[in-house]
Each structure stands twice: as structure tokens, then as C-alpha cells.
Amino acid sequence: MARTGQMVSQQDAIELDIDPGTVCFLIAKGRAFDAKVAPAERDEISQPGEDDMHDVLEDHGDDPVADEIRHVIDDLNDEQQAELVALIWVGRGDFERSEWESAIAAANERHTGPSSDYIMGMPLFGDLLEEGFTALGHTCEDVGNPV
């Protein structure tokens, strides 16, 4: 989902404090988290086991994917959490690549609660994170984690 008109060479990549492998992990997990849907009512006429295939996509409140994402984000230091939020804002178009330092400053200034809650409350945060990551000249293929 990278913007084709904004491809940046790896040589021009903006250096990040957060580990690129962590960003790629969060992109992949964010997509898995975003795929979750509210639990559906079971069809009385469905075959045994038929509904079980959809359980993996249902959000039952005790989601191990959400727990993993929250744990990884909460374990980051404040600067890394600000970079993560700034990456998402760049991916969403709130800031341009050239405004990277301003995006980080804004993330630090606006920080009021757990970053994991804020990030996980954003629809499609995995896609937005990848957009921002790519805009800054990084790809998950570079770290051996194609998303």
C-alpha cells in the first residue's frame, strides 16, 4: 500500500530511533488486529465446525494479537513511541517527510496517555504505519520481514 509517487531510495532514508524490525512486526500485527470483526451469531443450520473457521477473525476481547501489540508498544521508550505515532501521522498525510522532526515534536507535545491505546484506536494503523515507514525511505524487505 505504499504510495508510488513518493518512493524514496534507501540511501535517503531518515534514520529512526525505533528498530525497523519492530516497526515491521507492528505493521504485520496491526493488519491482523484490523481484520478482527465483532463476533457473529451462530447460524442454527450451519454444519458442525463451519463457524469455527471464522472465530480467528472475531474479536472476543481477549485477543492475543492485541496483547502482543500493546506489549511491544508499551515496552518502547518515550522517544520510540513518539516516532511510532509520527510514522502513522506521516502515513496518514498529517505531516510530510520533510516535516519529520515537527511530527515527532507534535507527538511528544500531544502525548497524554498510553500510546498503545491511541495507536490501536486508529483504524488501519498497520497500513498507515507502513505508509509512513515507506515515506521515510524504509521497507520491511530491507529488514527481512516482507509484510
Side-chain angles (χ1 to χ4, degrees), residues 19-68:
D19 176 50
T22 299
V23 175
C24 293
F25 175 83
L26 289 170
I27 290 168
K29 291 297 179 176
R31 288 185 175 149
F33 176 74
D34 285 334
K36 299 287 182 171
V37 296
E41 287 189 34
R42 299 296 178 218
D43 188 352
E44 303 248 347
I45 59 171
S46 64
Q47 298 296 317
E50 187 176 90
D51 290 327
D52 295 340
M53 294 171 37
H54 301 285
D55 287 348
V56 73
L57 294 177
E58 293 181 351
D59 183 5
H60 294 282
D62 58 347
D63 184 2
V65 174
D67 291 342
E68 269 186 299

Side-chain angles (χ1 to χ4, degrees), residues 72-108:
V72 168
I73 294 171
D74 291 344
D75 279 351
L76 298 173
N77 66 39
D78 290 344
E79 186 60 30
Q80 292 168 330
Q81 288 183 21
E83 279 191 354
L84 197 59
V85 170
L87 279 168
I88 292 170
W89 288 347
V90 169
R92 191 168 64 184
D94 297 346
F95 291 88
E96 296 295 322
R97 171 188 162 83
S98 61
E99 301 171 306
W100 176 240
E101 294 300 324
S102 297
I104 293 173
N108 281 314

Side-chain angles (χ1 to χ4, degrees), residues 10-28:
Q10 186 178 10
Q11 182 177 354
D12 296 329
I14 293 175
E15 190 173 332
L16 301 173
D17 188 39
I18 188 171
D19 176 50
T22 299
V23 175
C24 293
F25 175 83
L26 289 170
I27 290 168

Side-chain angles (χ1 to χ4, degrees), residues 5 10 33 42 47 69 71 79 82 93 111 117 122 131 145:
Q10 186 178 10
F33 176 74
R42 299 296 178 218
Q47 298 296 317
I69 294 168
H71 180 73
E79 186 60 30
H111 184 247
D117 289 347
M122 290 181 178
E131 288 286 338
N145 185 6

